[in-house]
Amino acid sequence: MPRPEEAAITTPIKPSSWTWAEQFVPEDEVLAAARSRAEEVGVTPIGSGAGAALRFLASVLDARAVVEIGTGTGVSGLWLLRGMRSDGVLTTVDVEAEHQRLAKESFAEAGIASQRARTIPGSALDVLPRLTDGHYDLVFCDGDKREYADYLAEALRLLRPGGVVCFDNALWHDKVADPAQRDPETVAIRELGRTVAEHEGLVPVLLPVGDGLLAAKKVWIPEA
């Protein structure tokens, strides 16, 4: 029979505990500067808790090749690069070339060699089909929420068996859990979650960090 304190784990955590968890892995001055750039240009970067989760996943995967959809000013890219192998390369895509210029400044301030971050300006759905099948360890998606289903299809092609796909904003400002919310972005994210959860070739988890981080491992399925 569970002890009272064990049973209490199923109840929602207090805001103070959520904040404690979000700040458990602190951000340094380089990340703070990248966040300041994001604020200046109106970009909303990934939260610190989700960033730490990305770094953890990249580290566990010993990631050498990562794709990022949505460069922003480099906040999520910094977290990913810090978890990847020292010779790992981040391929990051964004429609805003100016944002990528600011991201390069963030990477340079972090002492990351320029050849480790390949920035490609353009629409993700134009760029991703040109990338190599089965070559990547991790694909992180933080672009147009209405395109998340298309990103998943591309990620399944790009990932090696055992690779991981991640989607930021998987809770979308508390809207996804509310069935009354039917705007296009919320519906797209909600349907994505359902697809990932039911996909036989994926092992999924939804982490309540930041604005929600949906992650799934691509399992190896032998050909018939």
Side-chain angles (χ1 to χ4, degrees), residues 134-200:
H135 176 71
Y136 296 91
D137 304 295
L138 192 155
V139 176
F140 172 58
C141 307
D142 191 15
D144 188 331
K145 313 310 171 192
R146 295 165 295 182
E147 296 178 349
Y148 267 15
D150 296 317
Y151 298 164
L152 174 62
E154 289 294 330
L156 291 174
R157 178 183 62 80
L158 294 171
L159 287 170
R160 62 167 175 80
V164 172
V165 58
C166 297
F167 294 86
D168 192 26
N169 304 112
L171 297 176
W172 196 232
H173 317 309
D174 294 321
K175 291 183 178 182
V176 171
D178 181 359
Q181 301 294 327
R182 301 293 300 172
D183 62 274
E185 290 81 7
T186 300
V187 170
I189 296 170
R190 188 181 293 132
E191 291 179 351
L192 170 78
R194 186 178 303 114
T195 299
V196 170
E198 296 174 353
H199 199 293
E200 293 184 355

Side-chain angles (χ1 to χ4, degrees), residues 60-141:
V60 168
L61 291 166
D62 199 24
R64 176 179 288 175
V66 173
V67 174
E68 176 186 50
I69 302 169
T71 309
T73 57
V75 174
S76 51
L78 285 170
W79 280 112
L80 287 164
L81 284 161
R82 289 175 174 181
M84 295 167 63
R85 296 168 52 118
S86 60
D87 61 346
V89 176
L90 173 69
T91 298
T92 181
V93 183
D94 201 296
V95 294
E96 296 288 347
E98 173 62 14
H99 295 172
Q100 291 191 323
R101 184 188 68 79
L102 295 172
K104 289 179 181 179
E105 290 184 13
S106 299
F107 299 155
E109 287 181 4
I112 294 168
S114 59
Q115 65 269 24
R116 292 196 60 209
R118 179 172 63 149
T119 56
I120 304 178
S123 166
L125 296 182
D126 291 335
V127 174
L128 296 177
R130 306 202 303 263
L131 302 183
T132 305
D133 292 11
H135 176 71
Y136 296 91
D137 304 295
L138 192 155
V139 176
F140 172 58
C141 307

Side-chain angles (χ1 to χ4, degrees), residues 3-63:
R3 298 191 301 270
E5 61 270 23
E6 293 175 331
I9 293 175
T10 60
T11 62
I13 64 172
K14 296 179 180 178
S16 58
S17 293
W18 185 87
T19 300
W20 178 275
E22 283 291 299
Q23 299 175 351
F24 182 72
V25 180
E27 294 191 332
D28 60 12
E29 294 179 356
V30 175
L31 276 163
R35 287 192 182 280
S36 294
R37 295 186 181 99
E39 185 176 354
E40 290 172 3
V41 296
V43 171
T44 303
I46 195 169
S48 58
L54 288 180
R55 186 185 70 165
F56 175 80
L57 289 169
S59 177
V60 168
L61 291 166
D62 199 24

